[in-house]
Amino acid sequence: IFGGVANEQNSINHNRPSSVRWGILTLVVAMSSYLVVNAAHFFKDLVSLIGALTSVPLTLLLPAILYQNLTNQTLCECSGLASYSLLLVALLFMLCGLVGAMSSIELDWKHHGSPFACD
């Protein structure tokens, strides 16, 4: 009922992998945040980059995936050509947005200095 020393040792050993995983994930998030903030000097560039990477999947792909899950259909069962066309168009839109965002960031680098520059 009270647990004792053996149960405390088991709970410590089981939490060690979770603590290591949490530490690694925290380090990865911190480093990627540092890189993104220094790569995109201006807020508008950061917003355009995030928008290019997330708006198409959230507005075009997620509703289609949720509908297929709701109706218990797979990609092949649900008019295959239409599903693959939607996927192709969504990827094309995302690529266009990503190219536009990256070109805007590159122009700002040329005019205002490169990332990690101490101007």
Side-chain angles (χ1 to χ4, degrees):
I1 292 178
F2 293 108
V5 176
N7 285 339
E8 288 178 17
Q9 288 296 328
N10 285 337
S11 66
I12 291 171
N13 290 337
H14 289 299
N15 289 335
R16 183 166 291 153
S18 298
S19 298
V20 170
R21 185 178 334 136
W22 180 85
I24 290 171
L25 288 174
T26 302
L27 182 65
V28 167
V29 168
M31 294 300 294
S32 62
S33 299
Y34 179 75
L35 289 173
V36 167
V37 166
N38 282 300
H41 286 297
F42 300 101
F43 186 69
K44 69 176 182 70
D45 292 335
L46 184 61
V47 169
S48 67
L49 182 64
I50 292 171
L53 290 173
T54 60
S55 64
V56 171
L58 289 175
T59 58
L60 291 177
L61 296 179
L62 188 63
I65 291 170
L66 291 176
Y67 174 75
Q68 286 182 344
N69 284 341
L70 182 68
T71 59
N72 293 326
Q73 295 177 348
T74 63
L75 188 63
C76 298
E77 293 173 356
C78 199
S79 65
L81 183 62
S83 295
Y84 288 117
S85 298
L86 177 65
L87 183 63
L88 181 66
V89 168
L91 290 176
L92 183 66
F93 282 163
M94 189 167 68
L95 181 65
C96 289
L98 188 60
V99 166
M102 294 305 289
S103 65
S104 174
I105 291 172
E106 184 180 4
L107 284 174
D108 282 340
W109 284 355
K110 286 180 182 176
H111 291 119
H112 302 287
S114 63
F116 304 104
C118 296
D119 297 337

